[in-house]
Amino acid sequence: MRVINIHTRQINEPKENVSKLFKTLATSNDLIWPYENWPAIRFKNGISIGSKGGHGTIRYTIIDYSADDFIKFEFSKPKGFVGTHEFRIKATNNTSTEISHEITTVTTFKTALLWVFVIRWLHDALIEDAFDKVENYFSGNHKKTKYNLWVKLLREIYKRKANTTKTA
């Protein structure tokens, strides 16, 4: 199955300011990734081409990077998920910036089922949380995209599974 999944958000801030925020990704002062509610994103050798890392059970390698414009990753896990994902920052005018995240991948049958019923839902919620975090940083608002019932259920299952693993 071919998967293309795109999220975009307009941020009322010049690209230069948004780019500064994106440079904190995967650092101890990460202002992008919603690590407060999701597994943190980490890379063995920081943000640099060839660095391996990921978040939770999702693993990837940084394959292209321009500090002010984009970061592109190639998946290594889950198995059967062959492709890339990337964050992009693009000025739409002098005072507004579009941020985007795009997955382009091909899956095996088994991984397609995992995408359709689990990964896509959690991924979409995580990216919207990240975009809320960026928007809130600049606006001072407290925007919080609500999780649908399926995401709430999947997060509860994941939390229980993690707690069971810790006590075992």
Side-chain angles (χ1 to χ4, degrees):
M1 178 173 103
R2 183 164 174 78
V3 173
I4 298 175
N5 178 280
I6 302 170
H7 291 255
T8 61
R9 176 94 51 104
Q10 282 298 128
I11 304 296
N12 293 320
E13 199 67 31
K15 180 183 177 202
E16 174 184 294
N17 296 349
V18 176
S19 292
K20 287 178 187 174
L21 208 66
F22 270 79
K23 290 175 185 173
T24 70
L25 183 67
T27 67
S28 60
N29 183 37
D30 194 328
L31 300 171
I32 302 295
W33 196 262
Y35 61 84
E36 303 85 356
N37 296 313
W38 298 93
I41 187 171
R42 303 262 187 253
F43 291 93
K44 186 174 183 178
N45 297 313
I47 299 293
S48 61
I49 294 175
S51 190
K52 296 180 184 309
H55 62 281
T57 60
I58 309 297
R59 312 311 298 160
Y60 34 84
T61 302
I62 298 171
I63 60 169
D64 205 358
Y65 175 60
S66 170
D68 293 322
D69 301 306
F70 66 90
I71 185 166
K72 188 171 188 174
F73 313 90
E74 182 175 56
F75 290 105
S76 54
K77 285 187 184 175
K79 285 189 178 211
F81 216 71
V82 180
T84 63
H85 73 105
E86 64 185 292
F87 283 104
R88 287 201 168 274
I89 310 159
K90 182 177 96 178
T92 52
N93 60 45
N94 290 337
T95 61
S96 186
T97 304
E98 179 185 85
I99 58 176
S100 65
H101 181 271
E102 180 174 337
I103 289 178
T104 305
T105 188
V106 176
T107 66
T108 61
F109 178 75
K110 180 180 174 183
T111 310
L113 292 174
L114 191 60
W115 169 260
V116 168
F117 293 108
V118 180
I119 297 173
R120 182 189 90 190
W121 298 94
L122 295 174
H123 163 77
D124 288 352
L126 183 152
I127 295 300
E128 290 304 316
D129 279 357
F131 286 5
D132 288 349
K133 190 170 179 176
V134 173
E135 185 175 329
N136 291 338
Y137 179 86
F138 292 113
S139 70
N141 293 335
H142 297 288
K143 181 173 184 167
K144 175 75 174 120
T145 303
K146 292 185 180 188
Y147 301 145
N148 65 37
L149 186 58
W150 189 241
V151 170
K152 289 177 184 177
L153 176 64
L154 290 171
R155 286 175 56 86
E156 186 61 33
I157 290 167
Y158 179 80
K159 186 172 26 173
R160 287 180 187 207
K161 184 177 178 183
N163 287 338
T164 302
T165 305
K166 287 179 186 176
T167 59

